[in-house]
Amino acid sequence: MKTILVTGGAGFIGSNFVYYMLRTHPNVRIVVLDALTYAGNFQTLEPLLGQARFRFVRGDITDRAAVMRLFDEERFDAVVNFAAESHVDRSIDTPEVFLKTNVLGVQVLLDACRAHGNVRFHQVSTDEVYGDLPLDRPDLFFTEETPLRTSSPYSASKAGADLLTLAYYRTFGTPVTISRCSNNYGPYHFPEKLIPLMITNAMEGKKLPVYGEGKNVRDWLFVKDHCRAIDLILQGGRIGEVYNVGGHNERSNLEVVRAILHLLGKDDSDIIFVRDRPGHDLRYAIDPTKMRTELGWKPETTFETGLRQTVAWYREHRDWWEPVKSGAYLDYYKAHYGDA
Ligand code: NAD
Ligand code: TYD
C-alpha cells in the first residue's frame, strides 16, 4: 500500500484527483490535508469518510508544526500539492494570502519532504506562469522552455513556488516534479470561476458577466484528463522535470459562455459585458508534446462531451453549489460585480 498526501484535496481539482486515485489504484491510500478555506468543501469528500484507504485532516500547509507532525505520523510515499489560493480576481484584491499559501506553504511542504527522507513531491502548477500569448499569433504555444513572465499576483506566486520547488531539487536533491496545466473544468468547480459561474448564474436566471469583450482565449481541459496526467507523472515522470498539460482546446470566453447557454436551452440575452480584469491575460495555449512523447498522455474527453457532462452535473447537484453561492460568497460577488 502506498500512502499519498494530497494537500488541497477538498478543492476542485484536488477532490477530483482523490476520487480518481482511489478508483484507479486499489493499492493507494490517500491522506487529504486541507484548511477548508472558502474554496474547500468538506461535503465533496464526505462519502469517503470511514473508508480504510482515506483520511481527512483539517490543517494549513503554512502551519509548519502541524505539517511536520502529520509527516511524523504517516510515512508518505509521495505528496501532491493542490493547496493554493487559485482565483486571479481575488489575488488582485488581496495578494498577501496568495504569497503566504502559494509560496510559503510550498516551502513548508518541501522542508517536510526533506526532513522525512526526501519524500517525492509533485507541485501542481499552472500555465499562467508563462504569462500570455498574443491573440493574432495562433502559431505560438507555451512549451516547458517558455520563460516565466507572470501577469497577476496569483501567477507570480505560482511561479515563485515553481522556482522554489526546482531549487530544492538542485540544492537538496529533493525528488520533485511540476505540472503546468491549462484551465480545467468539470464537477466540484467553485462557482466563482468562469464555467461554473456561468452555468449556475444561467440556471438561477441571473446575468452572465463577461469581462471586456469576451475575446480572451483559454485552453480548456476536462479535470479528469488533468488527474490522469498527474498520475502518469507520479509513476513515470523524470525527477526535476516540468511537464505542460493541455489539450489544444482553445476557445474565447464568449464562445464558452454561448456553448453553456446553448446546452441549457437559453439565448444570449442575459450576457452582459462588464469592466475588464486589470492585466487580463489575452491567450493561453499549451504545447503538450512532452507529456505525449514521454508519458503517452493525451486528453480523452472532448470539450463538447466534457461541457455537456459538466452542465449535467451542475443540474443534478444543486445541493452542492447552492450553499456555496450563499453566505460570504455573496459579499464577494457584490464587491466584485456590483449590482450585475
Ligand atoms: P481550489 O481553489 O478549488 O482549491 C484549493 C484548495 O486548497 C481548497 O480546498 C482550499 O481549502 C485549499 N487550501 C487553500 N489554502 C490552503 C492552505 N493554506 N492550507 C491547506 N489547504 C489550503 O483550486 P483548484 O482549482 O482545485 O486548483 C488546485 C491547484 O491547481 C492550484 O494549485 C492551482 O494553482 C492549480 N491549477 C488550477 C487550474 C484550474 O483551472 N483550476 C489550472 C491549472 C492549475
Ligand atoms: P477564470 O475562470 O477566473 O480563470 P483564469 O483567469 O485563471 O483563466 O477566468 C477564465 C476567463 O474568463 C478569463 O479570461 C476571465 C474570464 N471571466 C469573465 O469573463 N467573467 C467572469 O465573471 C469570470 C470569473 C471570468
Side-chain angles (χ1 to χ4, degrees), residues 86-89 126-128 154 183-184 189 191-198 201 208-212 214-218 220 253-254 257 274 276-277 280-282 284 332-333 336-337:
S86 67
H87 193 35
V88 172
D89 293 322
T126 164
D127 61 355
E128 300 193 28
Y154 163 67
N183 286 62
N184 285 214
H189 202 178
E192 68 184 351
K193 305 284 169 59
L194 180 74
I195 287 185
L197 178 69
M198 297 299 161
N201 272 17
L208 310 189
V210 172
Y211 296 163
K215 289 186 178 154
N216 303 58
V217 169
R218 297 294 183 262
W220 293 97
N253 294 337
L254 205 49
V257 175
V274 298
D276 208 351
R277 171 187 284 171
H280 197 173
D281 280 338
L282 293 172
Y284 302 144
Y332 161 77
Y333 200 83
H336 188 70
Y337 294 98

Side-chain angles (χ1 to χ4, degrees), residues 10-13 34-35 37 40 60-61 82 84 86 101 125 154 158 184:
F12 164 44
I13 310 174
D34 197 297
T37 67
D60 194 312
I61 59 165
F82 294 92
S86 67
T101 289
S125 185
Y154 163 67
K158 294 296 289 185
N184 285 214

